[in-house]
């Protein structure tokens, strides 16, 4: 909200500079986001009197104006429609300079010499308005320096009013804050109603509220014989400073009072209300209405409207209808001041995409008691500035009054919660300075009546906050922090994930972090078959973030691809994050996952070679990481089993098991996916459920005694067909292993013409040891021979000596 | 391991090649000084002619080893004619001393000549052990925060990303018509649940499950329908904290906690200040500014010349929230605070654009080692 400082001074006296004021407000709860100065010093600019204004022959939209500067009359060509004879206007004579630096002199327009310029508000730096020249009060003397009329530059504070304080969305509301900070009185404008003619009840047939929950109060006043015209200059100036365009005196007054006290008002042309009747109701099926912004709007049955006897004439609390709009022909005015249900207004405004000054205030809640005050204030201003007569009395439909809430505020409690040493009397006087009346004081507490304009004050805690912010939070002392152990609290799951992260970092992988949102296109790349199980966002920010991710691997591949496109040709990444999975019954569950990804030359070798690792190296590098990680995290009985994954190269997909429990899988990204990101070399990816991986991270080590007897190591060179795998050989060896075979280590794979085409030699180092005695050569030889025999029988392999 | 095992299980090949071993110890009972002297000459000659460390070792074992010649001589000494015993003993000692000295000299000489880098050894090549990776800056900030608060006795509590309307809003005293509930601001799912807009619902879940005292920090991912720009991201991380005691807790306690955190996280010269604010779940509510760490509070572009940077929202837990979880606000009090993790990372590391954190450029990430 933009707050003109000079307007604030109408209601409270203060000597602070704008900067001091801003600081005080910021530190009492209303953040000042900016201080702005509007309008210059207007050096050389003066009041001009339009002696005559005639259309300029030969130019469509231009007028030739005769402008008196008090001494002489100058001919000025002007394009503004409102430059009419008799008006006092802002005039820049030849030789003057506009606030924006434009030098004004003599020019020739449409073959006519123009001396000087009539100024619009934007040219004077007052606002963005260029709809016409600035019209000055009629009593302004030609030749008077403009600064004397406009009052010099204006300072505006840009306020961020918190959601709980709609009362601060008004000049008087902010003046109340300033008054409380200074302990000075708040001056409300005096209202003297000059009523005459027939009573309001003779002019308005009635006000009917169908649902008091949606409209707790509706007041109507009536004016007759009003003369529409511009509102006074000072009022237009204040509206303009506050960002509201001046329309005419009646409409301007409703907006002025809204800004002044925060109560939105609406003026209807009473002659255009059928039966001069007001019905506050929800819209009927099929009803439509043209609003003031010339939009034809369909009204849903939950839209609260103001209707006359026949049809809606306004969308309650949001915008009036074009059909009952105040226009130049208006003479009879029905002035509405009402209160509407915040939730209803918010829902309608949001559905229509129509946020207005009125709806912004109604949806946060307005002062129920202030409804009638605002009506009187506006009526008085209308009589003063639009003539006409105000019908005596007011129709005040007020079915929903609520009694004032009585709240005790315990002094000790204030001190205990704030940690500040605030005296009893100070507490009471701070509350009273905020116009929260203290009804009663006891030795321990004061009992206050919550004012109707403070909907946020419901209980003691709210009063403590009021006291604290006015007293000043800078007075809260900072003591030394004291620590006390909370017994039984454990954060082992968090630390286990943290340990997993550190382990991966130590293994050479860098952590990435992707959005939880994913595009359907990326999901499709990894398998379109799951489309019905995906979790779509009903209201995504953009279509390419339309789904919640159901796996981490797609983003991992995309991240590697993005890096590759940025000339990062190798990377080892991991991501820890949650995925979202839809169950059969439609419910959505989330699961923490770990993804790994390797691209390019990321193996241990430092001298990587230009070609980068081949498929097997890449796969084994990732498998090595998985093995190391599971070992560090104490995941027992790890096993790898072939499986099929649509996004992995066939034959490279392996599931990883802990016992019978599938933890996840790994493999090489298939060719089609790699081509998506122009990846030439192999890319290895893995994904695991995180929880079973880290659950034993902090397992206590179980120590075994060191071996007592020496081991005997015998090498074994197995010659087998290329199709035979290490896994088969190892399994066959283990299957027949005597107790004393305590280790099998593959240390070389060897191919040569000697061995034969399509064959390979796998060299194993076999460790034999007994826990009971030193093995003799004969015993070891027997074991070794039996191992060889077993291999020969099960796999048909040969041995190299 | 295997090397160790091998040396202790295999028979020493040299024991079989030593012809002299055939002579029993008794044989030396009739030896004389001359014989010893001859052995010495032979031993020294062998030592002199040994060309490798292994050959030297063979000589040493043959003569000076535990089962070597000299040992046999020493054992036989007691049977030698007492008249000659002293002479033989001297000769034996001389043998030991001279051979020992020579072996050391020869060993040293051989070590000298055979040591040194082989041809082509290039110590300027890059090291061959793999370099470690880096944690993501968001993780790093979360872990830093958690460890600072852990020193004050706070443990980590976590909750789901998908939350109920009750936990994310109602239990936190958010009015039903508060704009944050809008589909414009919150991601609602077709199940009626929402993606949490803050980590505060974890506080509710903790209080629902345990009685006071409570002392937790709750890091986690949150979601808001913000259009992504340099400072906004539709998903981001928060770390919140909650402290509840049976007894009085004050704003002063909160301030001292945040002051401690500020100094630990941003440096010892960091100060904090409170500004009143509004949050539905705390009362009084404050925003907490830290001294700008770039200019030290003098004012700079980063802090928009105010000297302060807004870091945390905080306040005393609203009694309405306590009632929702079944705590009695008359006997229980506490405070809560929350901070944006990306915001801290950006402020602390000078990151200009929040999107950088989610682009995962390896060259960016590598700087957080």
């Amino acid at each position: 909200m933009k707050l003109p400082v000079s307007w604030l001074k109408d209601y409270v006296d203060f000597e602070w500079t704008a900067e001091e004021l801003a600081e005080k407000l910021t530190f009492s709860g209303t953040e000042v986001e900016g201080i702005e100065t509007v309008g210059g010093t207007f050096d050389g600019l003066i009041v001009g009197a339009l002696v005559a204004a005639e259309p300029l022959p030969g130019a469509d939209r231009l007028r030739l104006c005769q402008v008196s500067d008090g001494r002489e009359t100058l001919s000025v060509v002007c394009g503004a429609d409102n430059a009419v004879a008799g008006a006092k206007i802002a005039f820049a004579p030849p030789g003057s300079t506009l606030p924006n630096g434009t030098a004004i002199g003599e020019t020739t327009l449409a073959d006519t010499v123009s001396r000087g310029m009539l100024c619009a508000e934007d040219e004077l730096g007052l606002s963005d308005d260029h709809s016409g020249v600035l019209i000055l009060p009629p009593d302004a003397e030609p030749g008077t320096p403009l600064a004397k009329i406009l009052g010099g530059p204006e300072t505006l504070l840009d306020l961020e009013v918190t959601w709980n304080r709609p009362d601060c969305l008004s000049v008087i509301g902010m003046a109340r804050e300033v008054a409380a900070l200074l302990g000075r009185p708040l001056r409300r404008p005096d209202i003297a109603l000059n009523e005459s003619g027939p009573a309001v009840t003779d002019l308005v047939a009635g006000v009917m509220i169908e649902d008091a929950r949606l409209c707790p109060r509706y007041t109507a006043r009536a004016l007759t014989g009003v003369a529409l015209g511009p509102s006074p200059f000072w009022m237009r100036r204040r509206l303009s400073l506050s960002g509201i365009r001046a329309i005419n005196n009646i409409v301007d007054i409703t907006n002025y009072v809204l800004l002044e006290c925060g109560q939105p008002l609406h003026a209807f042309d009473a002659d255009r209300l059928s039966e001069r009747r007001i019905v506050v109701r929800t819209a009927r099926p099929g009803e439509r209405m043209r609003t003031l912004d010339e939009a034809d709007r369909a009204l849903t049955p939950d839209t609260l409207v103001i209707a006359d006897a026949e049809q809606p004439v306004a969308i309650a609390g949001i915008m009036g209808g074009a059909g009952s709009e105040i226009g130049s022909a208006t003479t009879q005015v029905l002035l509405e001041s009402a209160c509407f249900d915040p939730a209803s207004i918010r829902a309608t405004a949001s559905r229509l995409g129509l946020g207005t000054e009125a709806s912004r205030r109604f949806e946060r809640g307005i002062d129920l008691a202030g409804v009638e005050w605002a009506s009187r204030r506006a009526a008085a201003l209308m009589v003063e500035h639009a003539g006409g007569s105000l019908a005596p009395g007011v129709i005040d439909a007020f079915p929903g009054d609520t009694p004032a809430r009585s709240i005790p505020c315990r002094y000790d409690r204030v001190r205990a919660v704030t940690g500040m040493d605030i005296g009893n009397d100070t507490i009471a006087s701070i509350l009273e300075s905020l116009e929260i009346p203290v009804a009663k004081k006891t030795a321990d507490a004061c009992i206050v009546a919550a004012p109707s304009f403070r909907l946020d004050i419901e209980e003691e805690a709210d009063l403590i906050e009021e006291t604290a912010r006015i007293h000043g939070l800078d007075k809260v002392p900072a003591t030394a922090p004291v620590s006390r152990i909370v017994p039984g609290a454990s954060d082992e799951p968090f630390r286990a994930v943290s340990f997993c992260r550190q382990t991966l970092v130590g293994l050479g992988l860098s952590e990435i972090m992707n959005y939880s949102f994913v595009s359907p296109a990326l999901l499709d790349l990894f398998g379109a078959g799951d489309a019905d199980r995906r979790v779509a966002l009903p209201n995504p920010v953009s279509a390419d973030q339309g789904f919640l991710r159901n796996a981490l691997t797609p983003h991992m591949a995309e991240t590697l691809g993005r890096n590759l496109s940025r000339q990062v040709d190798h990377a080892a990444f991991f991501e820890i994050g949650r995925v979202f999975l839809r169950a059969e019954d439609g419910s959505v569950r989330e699961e923490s996952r770990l993804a790994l990804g390797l691209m390019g030359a990321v193996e241990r070798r430092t001298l990587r070679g230009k070609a980068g690792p081949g498929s097997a190296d890449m796969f084994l590098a990732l498998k090595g990481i998985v093995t190391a990680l599971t070992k560090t995290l104490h995941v027992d009985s790890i096993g790898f089993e072939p499986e099929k994954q649509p996004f992995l190269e066939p034959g490279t997909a392996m599931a990883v098991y802990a016992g019978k429990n599938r933890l996840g899988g790994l493999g090489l990204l298939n060719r089609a996916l790699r081509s998506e990101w122009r990846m030439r070399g192999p890319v290895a990816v893995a994904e695991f459920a995180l929880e079973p991986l880290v659950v034993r991270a902090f397992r206590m080590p179980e120590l075994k005694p060191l071996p007592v007897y020496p081991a005997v190591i015998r090498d074994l060179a197995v010659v087998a067909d290329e199709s035979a795998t290490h896994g088969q050989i190892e399994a066959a060896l283990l299957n027949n292993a005597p107790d004393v075979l305590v280790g099998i280590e593959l240390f070389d794979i060897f191919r040569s013409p000697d061995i034969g085409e399509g064959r390979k030699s796998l060299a194993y180092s076999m460790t034999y040891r007994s826990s009971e005695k030193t093995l003799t050569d004969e015993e070891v030889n027997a074991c070794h021979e039996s191992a060889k025999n077993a291999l020969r029988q099960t796999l048909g392999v040969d041995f190299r000596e | 391991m295997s090397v160790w095992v091998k040396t202790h299980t295999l028979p020493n090949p040299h024991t079989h090649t030593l012809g002299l071993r055939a002579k029993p110890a008794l044989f030396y009972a009739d030896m004389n000084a001359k014989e010893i002297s001859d052995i010495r000459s032979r031993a020294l000659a062998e030592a002199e002619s040994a060309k490798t460390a292994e050959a030297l070792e063979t000589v040493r074992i043959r003569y000076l080893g535990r089962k070597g010649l000299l040992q046999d001589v020493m054992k036989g000494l007691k049977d030698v004619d007492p008249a000659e015993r002293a002479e033989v003993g001297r000769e034996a000692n001389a043998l030991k001393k001279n051979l020992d000295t020579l072996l050391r000299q020869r060993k040293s000489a051989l070590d000298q000549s055979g040591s040194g880098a082989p041809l082509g050894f290039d110590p300027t090549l890059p090291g061959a052990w793999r370099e470690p990776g880096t944690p993501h800056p968001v993780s790093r900030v979360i872990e830093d925060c958690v460890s600072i608060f852990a020193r004050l006795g706070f443990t980590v509590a976590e909750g789901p990303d998908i939350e109920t309307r009750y936990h994310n809003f109602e239990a936190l005293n958010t009015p039903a018509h508060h704009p944050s509930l809008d589909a414009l601001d919150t991601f609602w799912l077709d199940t009626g649940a929402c993606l949490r807009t803050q980590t505060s619902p974890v506080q509710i879940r903790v209080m629902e499950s345990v009685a006071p005292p409570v002392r937790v920090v709750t890091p986690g991912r949150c979601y808001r329908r913000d259009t992504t720009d340099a400072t906004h991201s539709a998903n981001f991380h928060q770390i919140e904290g909650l402290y509840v005691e049976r007894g009085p807790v004050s704003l002063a306690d909160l301030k001292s906690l945040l002051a401690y955190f500020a100094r630990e996280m941003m440096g010892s010269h960091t100060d904090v200040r409170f500004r009143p604010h509004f949050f539905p779940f705390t009362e009084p509510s404050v925003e907490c500014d830290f001294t700008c760490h770039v200019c030290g509070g003098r004012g700079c572009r980063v802090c928009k010349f105010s000297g302060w940077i807004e870091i945390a929202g905080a306040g005393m837990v609203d009694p309405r929230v306590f009632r929702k979880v079944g705590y009695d606000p008359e006997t229980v009090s506490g405070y809560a605070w929350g901070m944006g993790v990306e915001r801290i990372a950006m402020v602390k590391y000078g990151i200009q654009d929040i999107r950088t954190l989610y682009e995962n450029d390896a060259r960016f990430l590598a700087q957080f080692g």
Side-chain angles (χ1 to χ4, degrees), chain B residues 98-118:
Chain B
N98 293 355
L99 181 58
D100 200 61
T101 306
L102 181 62
L103 284 171
R104 282 174 196 280
Q105 282 170 356
R106 289 287 302 142
K107 175 109 191 339
S108 171
L110 277 175
D111 283 352
Q112 291 289 323
S113 68
S115 72

mmCIF file of all heavy atoms in Angstrom, chain B residues 98-118:
data_model
loop_
_atom_site.group_PDB
_atom_site.id
_atom_site.type_symbol
_atom_site.label_atom_id
_atom_site.label_comp_id
_atom_site.label_asym_id
_atom_site.label_seq_id
_atom_site.Cartn_x
_atom_site.Cartn_y
_atom_site.Cartn_z
ATOM 1 N N ASN B 98 84.140 -58.938 12.436
ATOM 2 C CA ASN B 98 84.602 -58.533 11.107
ATOM 3 C C ASN B 98 83.544 -58.807 10.031
ATOM 4 O O ASN B 98 83.296 -57.978 9.160
ATOM 5 C CB ASN B 98 85.881 -59.290 10.724
ATOM 6 C CG ASN B 98 87.054 -58.883 11.608
ATOM 7 O OD1 ASN B 98 86.910 -57.983 12.420
ATOM 8 N ND2 ASN B 98 88.175 -59.565 11.473
ATOM 9 N N LEU B 99 82.946 -60.004 10.154
ATOM 10 C CA LEU B 99 81.967 -60.352 9.140
ATOM 11 C C LEU B 99 80.759 -59.419 9.230
ATOM 12 O O LEU B 99 80.254 -58.927 8.224
ATOM 13 C CB LEU B 99 81.529 -61.816 9.316
ATOM 14 C CG LEU B 99 80.501 -62.322 8.297
ATOM 15 C CD1 LEU B 99 81.053 -62.168 6.873
ATOM 16 C CD2 LEU B 99 80.134 -63.775 8.558
ATOM 17 N N ASP B 100 80.356 -59.192 10.447
ATOM 18 C CA ASP B 100 79.211 -58.303 10.662
ATOM 19 C C ASP B 100 79.478 -56.940 10.043
ATOM 20 O O ASP B 100 78.646 -56.380 9.301
ATOM 21 C CB ASP B 100 78.955 -58.171 12.172
ATOM 22 C CG ASP B 100 77.546 -57.692 12.429
ATOM 23 O OD1 ASP B 100 76.601 -58.417 12.019
ATOM 24 O OD2 ASP B 100 77.387 -56.594 13.001
ATOM 25 N N THR B 101 80.622 -56.378 10.337
ATOM 26 C CA THR B 101 80.977 -55.061 9.806
ATOM 27 C C THR B 101 80.973 -55.081 8.279
ATOM 28 O O THR B 101 80.401 -54.206 7.640
ATOM 29 C CB THR B 101 82.369 -54.644 10.319
ATOM 30 O OG1 THR B 101 82.346 -54.731 11.733
ATOM 31 C CG2 THR B 101 82.704 -53.242 9.878
ATOM 32 N N LEU B 102 81.610 -56.130 7.738
ATOM 33 C CA LEU B 102 81.716 -56.197 6.285
ATOM 34 C C LEU B 102 80.324 -56.333 5.640
ATOM 35 O O LEU B 102 80.013 -55.676 4.651
ATOM 36 C CB LEU B 102 82.599 -57.382 5.865
ATOM 37 C CG LEU B 102 82.793 -57.507 4.342
ATOM 38 C CD1 LEU B 102 83.500 -56.264 3.788
ATOM 39 C CD2 LEU B 102 83.598 -58.743 3.993
ATOM 40 N N LEU B 103 79.498 -57.195 6.259
ATOM 41 C CA LEU B 103 78.159 -57.373 5.706
ATOM 42 C C LEU B 103 77.402 -56.051 5.666
ATOM 43 O O LEU B 103 76.755 -55.713 4.689
ATOM 44 C CB LEU B 103 77.369 -58.397 6.545
ATOM 45 C CG LEU B 103 77.741 -59.870 6.337
ATOM 46 C CD1 LEU B 103 77.042 -60.747 7.389
ATOM 47 C CD2 LEU B 103 77.341 -60.339 4.943
ATOM 48 N N ARG B 104 77.502 -55.290 6.769
ATOM 49 C CA ARG B 104 76.814 -53.983 6.815
ATOM 50 C C ARG B 104 77.335 -53.053 5.725
ATOM 51 O O ARG B 104 76.554 -52.393 5.035
ATOM 52 C CB ARG B 104 77.005 -53.319 8.177
ATOM 53 C CG ARG B 104 76.101 -53.912 9.239
ATOM 54 C CD ARG B 104 76.451 -53.320 10.599
ATOM 55 N NE ARG B 104 75.896 -54.114 11.667
ATOM 56 C CZ ARG B 104 74.603 -54.028 12.051
ATOM 57 N NH1 ARG B 104 73.817 -53.157 11.472
ATOM 58 N NH2 ARG B 104 74.144 -54.794 13.012
ATOM 59 N N GLN B 105 78.686 -53.031 5.602
ATOM 60 C CA GLN B 105 79.269 -52.141 4.594
ATOM 61 C C GLN B 105 78.790 -52.540 3.201
ATOM 62 O O GLN B 105 78.392 -51.706 2.407
ATOM 63 C CB GLN B 105 80.802 -52.237 4.628
ATOM 64 C CG GLN B 105 81.424 -51.460 5.779
ATOM 65 C CD GLN B 105 82.906 -51.769 5.921
ATOM 66 O OE1 GLN B 105 83.444 -52.630 5.199
ATOM 67 N NE2 GLN B 105 83.560 -51.094 6.846
ATOM 68 N N ARG B 106 78.879 -53.865 2.941
ATOM 69 C CA ARG B 106 78.486 -54.346 1.624
ATOM 70 C C ARG B 106 76.992 -54.074 1.361
ATOM 71 O O ARG B 106 76.613 -53.646 0.291
ATOM 72 C CB ARG B 106 78.743 -55.873 1.541
ATOM 73 C CG ARG B 106 80.220 -56.250 1.494
ATOM 74 C CD ARG B 106 80.842 -55.902 0.132
ATOM 75 N NE ARG B 106 80.148 -56.579 -0.951
ATOM 76 C CZ ARG B 106 79.897 -56.039 -2.146
ATOM 77 N NH1 ARG B 106 80.290 -54.795 -2.383
ATOM 78 N NH2 ARG B 106 79.276 -56.718 -3.077
ATOM 79 N N LYS B 107 76.190 -54.309 2.396
ATOM 80 C CA LYS B 107 74.731 -54.086 2.263
ATOM 81 C C LYS B 107 74.467 -52.625 1.926
ATOM 82 O O LYS B 107 73.727 -52.284 1.004
ATOM 83 C CB LYS B 107 74.038 -54.461 3.587
ATOM 84 C CG LYS B 107 72.557 -54.175 3.627
ATOM 85 C CD LYS B 107 71.792 -55.469 3.583
ATOM 86 C CE LYS B 107 70.300 -55.359 3.367
ATOM 87 N NZ LYS B 107 69.670 -54.120 3.661
ATOM 88 N N SER B 108 75.139 -51.783 2.696
ATOM 89 C CA SER B 108 74.972 -50.346 2.483
ATOM 90 C C SER B 108 75.398 -49.964 1.072
ATOM 91 O O SER B 108 74.708 -49.200 0.390
ATOM 92 C CB SER B 108 75.780 -49.599 3.535
ATOM 93 O OG SER B 108 75.784 -48.247 3.227
ATOM 94 N N ALA B 109 76.529 -50.535 0.634
ATOM 95 C CA ALA B 109 77.030 -50.219 -0.694
ATOM 96 C C ALA B 109 76.044 -50.692 -1.765
ATOM 97 O O ALA B 109 75.750 -49.966 -2.726
ATOM 98 C CB ALA B 109 78.394 -50.888 -0.914
ATOM 99 N N LEU B 110 75.561 -51.949 -1.564
ATOM 100 C CA LEU B 110 74.606 -52.467 -2.532
ATOM 101 C C LEU B 110 73.323 -51.628 -2.572
ATOM 102 O O LEU B 110 72.792 -51.325 -3.633
ATOM 103 C CB LEU B 110 74.252 -53.924 -2.184
ATOM 104 C CG LEU B 110 75.239 -54.970 -2.692
ATOM 105 C CD1 LEU B 110 74.845 -56.348 -2.173
ATOM 106 C CD2 LEU B 110 75.296 -54.978 -4.213
ATOM 107 N N ASP B 111 72.823 -51.246 -1.368
ATOM 108 C CA ASP B 111 71.617 -50.413 -1.290
ATOM 109 C C ASP B 111 71.819 -49.133 -2.073
ATOM 110 O O ASP B 111 70.953 -48.674 -2.803
ATOM 111 C CB ASP B 111 71.282 -50.082 0.166
ATOM 112 C CG ASP B 111 70.628 -51.285 0.853
ATOM 113 O OD1 ASP B 111 70.325 -52.261 0.136
ATOM 114 O OD2 ASP B 111 70.436 -51.232 2.079
ATOM 115 N N GLN B 112 73.025 -48.556 -1.857
ATOM 116 C CA GLN B 112 73.330 -47.290 -2.536
ATOM 117 C C GLN B 112 73.266 -47.462 -4.042
ATOM 118 O O GLN B 112 72.628 -46.691 -4.740
ATOM 119 C CB GLN B 112 74.741 -46.814 -2.155
ATOM 120 C CG GLN B 112 74.865 -46.361 -0.711
ATOM 121 C CD GLN B 112 74.135 -45.037 -0.473
ATOM 122 O OE1 GLN B 112 74.155 -44.184 -1.342
ATOM 123 N NE2 GLN B 112 73.505 -44.894 0.673
ATOM 124 N N SER B 113 73.938 -48.508 -4.517
ATOM 125 C CA SER B 113 74.048 -48.633 -5.976
ATOM 126 C C SER B 113 72.715 -49.079 -6.600
ATOM 127 O O SER B 113 72.348 -48.630 -7.663
ATOM 128 C CB SER B 113 75.152 -49.624 -6.339
ATOM 129 O OG SER B 113 74.743 -50.920 -5.932
ATOM 130 N N GLY B 114 71.950 -49.901 -5.877
ATOM 131 C CA GLY B 114 70.734 -50.441 -6.477
ATOM 132 C C GLY B 114 69.503 -49.582 -6.263
ATOM 133 O O GLY B 114 68.460 -49.851 -6.829
ATOM 134 N N SER B 115 69.607 -48.561 -5.382
ATOM 135 C CA SER B 115 68.413 -47.771 -5.062
ATOM 136 C C SER B 115 68.217 -46.675 -6.096
ATOM 137 O O SER B 115 68.980 -46.543 -7.034
ATOM 138 C CB SER B 115 68.548 -47.171 -3.675
ATOM 139 O OG SER B 115 69.497 -46.148 -3.723
ATOM 140 N N GLY B 116 67.161 -45.858 -5.842
ATOM 141 C CA GLY B 116 66.871 -44.770 -6.753
ATOM 142 C C GLY B 116 65.778 -45.170 -7.717
ATOM 143 O O GLY B 116 65.477 -46.341 -7.899
ATOM 144 N N ALA B 117 65.144 -44.129 -8.292
ATOM 145 C CA ALA B 117 64.007 -44.365 -9.159
ATOM 146 C C ALA B 117 64.442 -45.083 -10.423
ATOM 147 O O ALA B 117 65.509 -44.808 -10.949
ATOM 148 C CB ALA B 117 63.359 -43.037 -9.513
ATOM 149 N N PRO B 118 63.632 -46.014 -10.885
ATOM 150 C CA PRO B 118 63.936 -46.653 -12.159
ATOM 151 C C PRO B 118 63.809 -45.645 -13.298
ATOM 152 O O PRO B 118 63.186 -44.591 -13.147
ATOM 153 C CB PRO B 118 62.886 -47.747 -12.276
ATOM 154 C CG PRO B 118 61.759 -47.283 -11.427
ATOM 155 C CD PRO B 118 62.368 -46.497 -10.313
#
